[in-house]
Each structure stands twice: as structure tokens, then as C-alpha cells.
């Protein structure tokens, strides 16, 4: 059987990849772009009309390839994960941590598994599209990657004379003949390019179809979970059966085409309890460590799900709470409040217009002290007042521009102005600890708040926009301002951030209520109370 398994692995082929790119063409001022495809049969195209025309053509080109793939039978079940062939660099932060010539990556960062799926990835900047045959786990781990189709399981060769091993249920033989490979792990299997010698075949784990009948009649059957073999003589029987069933359940989960965080968290919780009991029975300390890791994995998975849907962590889980797709996770919201505090303390002038500009520019340059802005950005943040505020920031040496303020206000999206904030340069003390993905999320969150349609329509000023941002950043999952036990937010803190006196906040609260930003809001008794309007809940930063 070992020879047959090795031969079957050699028959697997590399997953196909189609990459479509948009790149500048000619002089930058001309705005022309070039459309290129990784398929040699696809000729380059050039568009003098700009990036919009190029993106439209790129989407059409991607759809053409997808139509041809579907007409040809869709994704191939015998294909290797294309992401794994690239050292899982599509979803691993540090591609240099790959196994080829480098150290072994962090556990879980490159593991892949599940059926082969057809995916399409679109870069948020609108410059790169990628179609790929990859495993379901890598697809779920890659940001902005959509699964379009799932390949049928590949048939695994077997012999009619195969008989179940002594002590194993016949149901296992049935699953062997009718089920596909459950998981392909990128840190253990040979590559389709021959990185591992065919003389050293690797066995491929399979998921067994567990039914109530087989589960109750396992007897002295053995199984595997977390790369550990469950001993045949492990007592009590209930623990041995639970470990075997958990191993089957985890392998079955790896076959899912879509992730289910709630189910995964439940499996980790069961694993934590089972391994803790196993450690007590056997006295093996490593089992206790595995139980602790499973417990942490369950908590992390639940937090990720709660952040995604906006439910209270540790709630009843009854499903009665409103499900809201949050723009920021709980940790990102914490970073947002850190930025607000930094801006309040380091703005070179106390007026609201300067503070709003400092906030938005800080979010653009938070990582390296440099970023890009356009004239449309500046005039959108401060309509009618952008030039004066920029002059103040440049005069205070808080902001440096490559040209004049007038040139910055005239810059277009295809040729933005490169700004520098000296206090945020790498050689200065680092006030923020978040990465580039979180920086982009925070900047987008602030941009959506400041550029809200109703706020722009009512032409609300800088102080009111700052109050809108402050309120959104300090809400409970249900949209209430502040923690439920705090009876709102301290009025003096909100006023200080918005460069207002406490008795001036009430009139700006009324403006936000009229703009359908807050509901049931008041600013009496030294507290700012209220709730985000339903349409603003996605912008709420979870406390």
C-alpha cells in the first residue's frame, strides 16, 4: 500500500494560476495603463483612457478565463494547492519563513488542507486579480479571496482484496473506497516539483465517517488526533471514544469548503477537556500543554467570530443579539482610540479644523511617517478651509510637502501628493504598534465617518465630525455610548477631544441626531449618553 500511495501522490499536478495585472504605462502624468495576463496566449493591452477603463477590461478578462475553466470541467480534484506551491505566501505575513532554504514557519501559518477549490482574488487597490486552484484552508486564510467552485474528490486507487485490519470497523474500509483525501499539509507533503524524493512517500490522512452505530461499537479501536495515536488500552472507554471522534471531526472540518468559526470553537473546547482528562489519566505533561493550547484556540476563534458579527463576547450565544458586520475588530477599535488620544495630545494647534486634519493625516502616515493624499481628500475633510489649515501645519513643521500647498490641493488620484509627518518617521519613538493592514482599516474607518453622506449633506463642521468619530470609537456592541455600567461617556473628555467647551457639546449632539448619526442622545449631568443610529452600527468601535 505504501508504493501505491507514493504513486498516487506522483500523479497529482500543480494547481493552475492565472494572474491579471494593471501597471502604469508610459509617463506617469499621461495616466495610461497596461493590462497583462500570466497566460502566454493572452496579449498585453494598453489603455490611454486611464485606470478605470483598464479595470473594466481586467474584470472582463478574468470572467473570460473563469468561463473557460468552467467549460473545461472546473477545478481539478487531483491538483496541488497553488498557494502551497508558493510557500503559502498569499496568506503568510513573512514569505521568507518558507521551508525552501529557510527555517520552518510558525505552526499553523502554512498548513493547508481540504478539497481543491477554484478561487478568485482581487487586490483592493484594483491592480491585481488572481484565479487559482488551491486548498479550501488557504482560500479561507487569504484576505479578499472568494471561493467559486469546489472540485470533486479524486479517486484514490485501492485493491479489491484489501481487508480491514483486525479491530477496525468495516465502515472504515467503506470510507476508504468512497472518500477523498481529507487534508494536505504544506509542511509535511512533497511538492509537485519533486522537492521531496518519491522514494520517501508520505501517508495521507483520511477522515472516517463516524455514525452513532460505529461510534458506540468501536470497542478497542484506535485513532489519531493532533498527530498522536490514541492507545487501544486507554481508559475510560468514553475518553478513548471521544478522542477518536474528535480526530475524525477535525479531519472532516478540514474538508469544508467554507470556515465555520462556531463549529471550530466547539471542537477546540471539546479537545481541551478531553486532553486535560487524558493528561490526568496518563500523567503526560505535554497533553496538558496541548489542552491549554486548545483552550486558547477556542477563545481566539470565538473572539474572531464575535468581532466579525458584533456580538458580545461571552454572551448567551442564543442568536437574539443583532448581527452587524463591523468595519473594525475589537483590537482595531482599541488602536483607533489610541490614535485619537495621540492626536489630542500632539496637534500643533487646538482648533477643531487643525485637529481633524492632524487625525486624518496621522492615519495616512502612521506606519512610516509618510503617505499619500489628494486634493479631493483635503477638501473633503475641510471644505473651504483646507488651504488655511495646511499652511498652519506646514508653518509649524508638523507636515512637510514636496511642493506648495496649492499644488497639494490640486493633486489628482493618479498623481497624489507624498506627505511626510516628521514626528512619525521611523527614527522617532514609535507611538503606534499596529501593522499596515490595521493602519489601512483605521484610515478607511475614519474616512467613512468624516465623509458620511448625511454629514456632508448637512455641511457639518470639523468639531461635529470629530464628535461623530469620538462617539463611534467609544461604543458597546449594541451601539450604546460607553460601557453599560458607565452611564455614557465623560462629557469633559469628549469636549476636550473636539476642541469644545463642555456646554457647547449639546448643540453638536443635536446636529448628529438630525444627521441620523445618534439616537436618544443628551449631554446633561456631565455625561454624554445616546446610541449610534442603526445605519452607523458597522462603524462602531467595540469597547
Amino acid at each position: 500500500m505504501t508504493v501505491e500511495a507514493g504513486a498516487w501522490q506522483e500523479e497529482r499536478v500543480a494547481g493552475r494560476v492565472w494572474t491579471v495585472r494593471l501597471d502604469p504605462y508610459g509617463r506617469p502624468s499621461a495616466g495610461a495603463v497596461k493590462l497583462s495576463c500570466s497566460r502566454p496566449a493572452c496579449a498585453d493591452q494598453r489603455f490611454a483612457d486611464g485606470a478605470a477603463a483598464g479595470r473594466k477590461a481586467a474584470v472582463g478578462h478574468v470572467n473570460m478565463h473563469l468561463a473557460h475553466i468552467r467549460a473545461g470541467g472546473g477545478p481539478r480534484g487531483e491538483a496541488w494547492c497553488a498557494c502551497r506551491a508558493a510557500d503559502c505566501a498569499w496568506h503568510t505575513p513573512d514569505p521568507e519563513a518558507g521551508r525552501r532554504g529557510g527555517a520552518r514557519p510558525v505552526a499553523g501559518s502554512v498548513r493547508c488542507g481540504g478539497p481543491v477549490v477554484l478561487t478568485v482574488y482581487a487586490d483592493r487597490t484594483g491592480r491585481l486579480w488572481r484565479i487559482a486552484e488551491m486548498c479550501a484552508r488557504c482560500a479561507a486564510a487569504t484576505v479578499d479571496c472568494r471561493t467559486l467552485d469546489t472540485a470533486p474528490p479524486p479517486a484514490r486507487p485501492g485493491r479489491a482484496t484489501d481487508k480491514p485490519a483486525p479491530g477496525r470497523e468495516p465502515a472504515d474500509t467503506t470510507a476508504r473506497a468512497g472518500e477523498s483525501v481529507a487534508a494536505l499539509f504544506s509542511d509535511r507533503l512533497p511538492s509537485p516539483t519533486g522537492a521531496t524524493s518519491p522514494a520517501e512517500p508520505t501517508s495521507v490522512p483520511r477522515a472516517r465517517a463516524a455514525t452513532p452505530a460505529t461510534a458506540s461499537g468501536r470497542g478497542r479501536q484506535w485513532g489519531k488526533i493532533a498527530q498522536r495515536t490514541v492507545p487501544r488500552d486507554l481508559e475510560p472507554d468514553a475518553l478513548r471514544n471521544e478522542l477518536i471522534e474528535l480526530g475524525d471531526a477535525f479531519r472532516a472540518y478540514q474538508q469544508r469548503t467554507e470556515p465555520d468559526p462556531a463549529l471550530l470553537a466547539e471542537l477546540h473546547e471539546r479537545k481541551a477537556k478531553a486532553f486535560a482528562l487524558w493528561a490526568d489519566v496518563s500523567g503526560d505533561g505535554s497533553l496538558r500543554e496541548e489542552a491549554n493550547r486548545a483552550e486558547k484556540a477556542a477563545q481566539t476563534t470565538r473572539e474572531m467570530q464575535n468581532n466579525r458579527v458584533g456580538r458580545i463576547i461571552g454572551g448567551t450565544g442564543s442568536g437574539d443579539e443583532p448581527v452587524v458586520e463591523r468595519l473594525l475588530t475589537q483590537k482595531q477599535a482599541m488602536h483607533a482610540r489610541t490614535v485619537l488620544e495621540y492626536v489630542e495630545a500632539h496637534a500643533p494647534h487646538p482648533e477643531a479644523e487643525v485637529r481633524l486634519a492632524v487625525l486624518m493625516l496621522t492615519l495616512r502616515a502612521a506606519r512610516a511617517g509618510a503617505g499619500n493624499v489628494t486634493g479631493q481628500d483635503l477638501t473633503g475633510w475641510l471644505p473651504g478651509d483646507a488651504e488655511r489649515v495646511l499652511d498652519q501645519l506646514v508653518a509649524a513643521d508638523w507636515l512637510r510637502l514636496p511642493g506648495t500647498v496649492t499644488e497639494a490641493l490640486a493633486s489628482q488620484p493618479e498623481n497624489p501628493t507624498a506627505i511626510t509627518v516628521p514626528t512619525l518617521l521611523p527614527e522617532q519613538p514609535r507611538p503606534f504598534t499596529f501593522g499596515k493592514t490595521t493602519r489601512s482599516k483605521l484610515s478607511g474607518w475614519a474616512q467613512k465617518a468624516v465623509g458620511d453622506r448625511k454629514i456632508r449633506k448637512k455641511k457639518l463642521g470639523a468639531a461635529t465630525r470629530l464628535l461623530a468619530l469620538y462617539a463611534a470609537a467609544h461604543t458597546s456592541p449594541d451601539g450604546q455610548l460607553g460601557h453599560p455600567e458607565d452611564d455614557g461617556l465623560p462629557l469633559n473628555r469628549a469636549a476636550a477631544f473636539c476642541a469644545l467647551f463642555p456646554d457647547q457639546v449639546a448643540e453638536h449632539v443635536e446636529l448628529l441626531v438630525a444627521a441620523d448619526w445618534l439616537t436618544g442622545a443628551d449631554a446633561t449631568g456631565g455625561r454624554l449618553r445616546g446610541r449610534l443610529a442603526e445605519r452607523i452600527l458597522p462603524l462602531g468601535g467595540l469597547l
Side-chain angles (χ1 to χ4, degrees):
M1 293 301 293
T2 302
V3 174
E4 291 180 4
W8 176 79
Q9 288 173 6
E10 289 178 357
E11 292 175 0
R12 294 178 68 87
V13 295
R16 295 171 294 180
V17 180
W18 294 258
T19 303
V20 179
R21 299 183 58 91
L22 268 188
D23 296 298
Y25 178 72
R27 294 178 301 169
S29 59
V33 295
K34 180 181 70 172
L35 172 64
S36 58
C37 179
S38 61
R39 289 291 162 174
C42 299
D44 293 349
Q45 304 177 49
R46 294 171 178 81
F47 299 90
D49 298 336
R55 290 191 186 99
K56 184 176 180 180
V59 171
H61 193 84
V62 169
N63 288 332
M64 177 197 70
H65 279 306
L66 291 175
H68 288 167
I69 296 168
R70 291 191 177 103
R76 304 165 300 172
E78 70 276 10
W80 284 89
C81 175
C83 178
R84 181 256 176 181
D87 283 340
C88 290
W90 297 345
H91 61 81
T92 302
D94 184 11
E96 296 301 322
R99 289 151 323 281
R100 300 178 182 175
R104 189 187 183 99
V106 178
S109 64
V110 297
R111 293 185 68 182
C112 59
V116 176
V117 295
L118 178 67
T119 64
V120 62
Y121 163 85
D123 180 24
R124 292 184 179 181
T125 60
R127 296 286 182 177
L128 173 68
W129 293 261
R130 181 175 59 236
I131 306 169
E133 290 175 321
M134 57 197 297
C135 73
R137 178 176 285 182
C138 282
T142 303
V143 180
D144 298 327
C145 182
R146 291 184 57 193
T147 299
L148 304 180
D149 197 3
T150 302
R156 183 172 184 183
R159 292 182 296 182
T161 58
D162 284 346
K163 296 181 180 180
R168 300 302 296 262
E169 292 296 323
D172 189 42
T173 305
T174 303
R176 182 183 305 168
E179 293 189 15
S180 65
V181 175
L184 301 175
F185 296 107
S186 59
D187 55 350
R188 295 200 299 276
L189 286 184
S191 72
T193 57
T196 300
S197 171
E200 299 175 357
T202 306
S203 60
V204 182
R206 292 184 301 276
R208 295 185 298 273
T211 64
T214 59
S216 61
R218 289 183 185 273
R220 286 292 146 187
Q221 185 179 356
W222 64 275
K224 294 195 70 173
I225 179 172
Q227 302 181 18
R228 296 173 184 266
T229 299
V230 181
R232 293 177 185 272
D233 58 350
L234 180 63
E235 297 289 348
D237 288 344
L239 171 60
R240 186 182 65 256
N241 292 338
E242 171 71 356
L243 290 170
I244 295 173
E245 291 176 6
L246 272 175
D248 292 343
F250 272 107
R251 286 185 286 274
Y253 183 86
Q254 291 168 354
Q255 290 183 314
R256 296 176 61 92
T257 58
E258 295 293 337
D260 186 345
L263 173 60
L264 183 59
E266 180 183 352
L267 291 177
H268 280 304
E269 288 177 348
R270 289 175 58 190
K271 178 183 174 183
K273 295 177 181 178
F275 269 71
L277 180 57
W278 193 3
D280 292 338
V281 171
S282 64
D284 188 345
S286 65
L287 295 174
R288 179 74 61 186
E289 295 175 359
E290 187 73 28
N292 294 336
R293 285 193 292 268
E295 186 176 357
K296 292 179 181 178
Q299 176 65 16
T300 301
T301 304
R302 290 205 183 278
E303 288 180 357
M304 291 172 60
Q305 175 70 353
N306 290 330
N307 285 332
R308 186 178 70 85
V309 302
R311 288 177 177 157
I312 300 175
I313 295 177
T316 62
S318 61
D320 297 333
E321 304 94 341
V323 177
V324 179
E325 292 290 342
R326 302 283 177 173
L327 191 64
L328 299 180
T329 66
Q330 192 171 38
K331 188 172 183 179
Q332 289 169 344
M334 179 188 68
H335 287 306
R337 291 187 287 272
T338 300
V339 174
L340 299 187
E341 294 172 359
Y342 176 85
V343 168
E344 180 181 352
H346 293 84
H349 295 282
E351 58 182 307
E353 290 78 8
V354 172
R355 190 162 291 175
L356 179 60
V358 167
L359 171 62
M360 302 306 291
L361 293 172
T362 295
L363 288 174
R364 293 292 176 93
R367 285 284 296 161
N372 293 324
V373 295
T374 66
Q376 184 178 358
D377 291 331
L378 298 169
T379 55
W381 302 336
L382 299 167
D385 213 13
E387 184 173 3
R388 179 185 65 84
V389 172
L390 284 182
D391 282 333
Q392 286 183 291
L393 295 179
V394 172
D397 197 31
W398 187 90
L399 176 69
R400 295 174 186 173
L401 301 173
T404 65
V405 170
T406 302
E407 291 172 344
L409 293 173
S411 60
Q412 298 298 315
E414 59 270 16
N415 189 25
T417 297
I419 63 168
T420 301
V421 179
T423 55
L424 297 177
L425 290 172
E427 57 267 21
Q428 300 296 329
R430 305 301 296 162
F432 311 121
T433 59
F434 48 79
K436 61 180 181 180
T437 300
T438 297
R439 186 216 64 79
S440 178
K441 280 278 191 178
L442 297 181
S443 182
W445 167 78
Q447 183 65 48
K448 284 181 179 292
V450 172
D452 178 70
R453 176 176 55 85
K454 292 191 176 182
I455 284 181
R456 287 187 288 106
K457 186 176 181 180
K458 292 186 176 294
K459 300 180 180 179
L460 301 185
T464 311
R465 296 187 183 202
L466 286 174
L467 183 60
L469 271 168
Y470 189 85
H474 294 81
T475 61
S476 300
D478 61 355
Q480 293 289 339
L481 301 186
H483 294 286
E485 65 273 13
D486 291 341
D487 187 30
L489 300 172
L491 188 63
N492 59 342
R493 293 290 304 276
F497 175 76
C498 302
L500 297 171
F501 292 108
D503 57 0
Q504 295 177 316
V505 174
E507 62 182 277
H508 295 276
V509 169
E510 293 177 1
L511 294 175
L512 292 178
V513 172
D516 193 26
W517 188 277
L518 296 175
T519 60
D522 70 82
T524 59
R527 310 294 294 181
L528 174 59
R529 307 177 188 86
R531 184 177 185 275
L532 292 183
E534 185 175 353
R535 72 181 187 89
I536 305 301
L537 285 177
L539 296 178
L542 303 177
L543 286 170

